[in-house]
Amino acid sequence: SAGQQAVQGRRRLIGCRRRPRRRRLSRSRGRVAQIRLIVGLGNPGPEYDMTRHNVGFLALDQAASLLGINSFRRQFKGLVAEGRYCSGRVVLFKPTTYMNLSGEAMVEIMHWYKLEPAQILIFSDDIDLLPGMMRLREKGGAGTHNGWRSILQMTGSQDFPRARIGVGAPPRGWELRDWVLSRWDKDESSHDIRDAIQLAAKAGVSFLEQNIQITMNQFNILSRPKKQKAETVEDVSGESNAEHHS
């Protein structure tokens, strides 16, 4: 049937060798063996849906589709969904604290599931990558990204695997805040950005069954980012929790 073919396709994508057992997932703390968390960063609300700021949310939606997960609930200051992959569990998460407070939500969900940073992959936008580029890293600093700055400050760790989706630097005359909160779907580069979102989602699914090094080797070669120098912009730190960079 079409449904069976879809399940088989997802299993091939993840690399499963047998059909996962169907059973109720326990939300109890302490019973979370072989668990991975995939997080998409962004801002809540329809006004932000197609902004450069929210490509992390879109990549998480794509990963959820690939995994056949479609039921989210409100918890941990965000939207969370659970599913199974091969022999383990996967949790998908969108913080809804606004970007600058993403660390508050991350602390809560990591504490509940007793997760270490290495068990987590985070999707985020990156102005230092050309539109449509995608780069995986095993760990790193926050750079100019306020969402990452909040996560690193609140958790005390830089050891989070991440998939950075290029949205490009602001053109001359744009403030950085306005650029990251502007829509990308009508731009000439919109097709490239869609491709990068899809590639990040596929890398996220790969991360569930393989370590980050193998996933980096497989997917970074498919998208070779180049640094793009941003125009000089005004410091916009602290003006809005929805802002991206400072």
Side-chain angles (χ1 to χ4, degrees), residues 77-95:
K77 296 183 179 179
L79 297 174
V80 62
E82 296 181 352
R84 293 197 66 82
Y85 70 96
C86 300
S87 58
R89 283 174 71 186
V90 57
V91 179
L92 306 180
F93 186 53
K94 294 180 182 180

Side-chain angles (χ1 to χ4, degrees), residues 59-224:
L60 190 77
D61 289 340
Q62 287 284 329
S65 178
L66 292 172
L67 292 164
I69 298 173
N70 54 26
S71 179
F72 282 79
R73 67 180 186 274
R74 292 192 175 276
Q75 197 172 358
F76 314 120
K77 296 183 179 179
L79 297 174
V80 62
E82 296 181 352
R84 293 197 66 82
Y85 70 96
C86 300
S87 58
R89 283 174 71 186
V90 57
V91 179
L92 306 180
F93 186 53
K94 294 180 182 180
T96 56
T97 54
Y98 290 98
M99 183 69 80
N100 287 7
L101 302 176
S102 298
E104 295 181 4
M106 288 296 298
V107 167
E108 289 201 14
I109 196 167
M110 289 176 68
H111 178 71
W112 177 263
Y113 289 104
K114 298 183 178 179
L115 295 170
E116 296 296 327
Q119 295 171 268
I120 302 168
L121 179 69
I122 301 178
F123 299 137
S124 66
D125 57 305
D126 197 311
I127 64 164
D128 291 324
L129 298 180
L130 291 172
M133 295 296 182
M134 192 280 295
R135 169 56 65 90
L136 292 155
R137 293 184 66 188
E138 185 175 5
K139 56 186 177 181
T144 60
H145 196 291
N146 282 341
W148 272 109
R149 183 175 293 125
S150 174
I151 291 170
L152 271 53
Q153 287 178 346
M154 293 293 294
T155 64
S157 176
Q158 295 188 358
D159 297 336
F160 292 91
R162 73 275 314 263
R164 299 151 53 211
I165 300 166
V167 296
R172 185 179 299 276
W174 280 74
E175 289 191 7
L176 187 52
R177 174 189 58 194
D178 295 333
W179 175 248
V180 297
L181 295 180
S182 66
R183 295 177 67 103
W184 57 267
D185 54 318
K186 303 299 182 182
D187 291 355
E188 292 182 1
S189 61
S190 61
H191 180 75
D192 294 331
I193 293 177
R194 289 184 193 277
D195 287 346
I197 290 169
Q198 293 172 1
L199 187 64
K202 291 176 181 178
V205 175
S206 171
F207 170 77
L208 298 178
E209 190 65 14
Q210 306 180 96
N211 62 41
I212 185 61
Q213 292 88 355
I214 293 176
T215 300
M216 287 168 58
N217 290 340
Q218 289 179 344
F219 286 88
N220 278 346
I221 197 171
L222 301 178
S223 179
R224 294 189 176 277

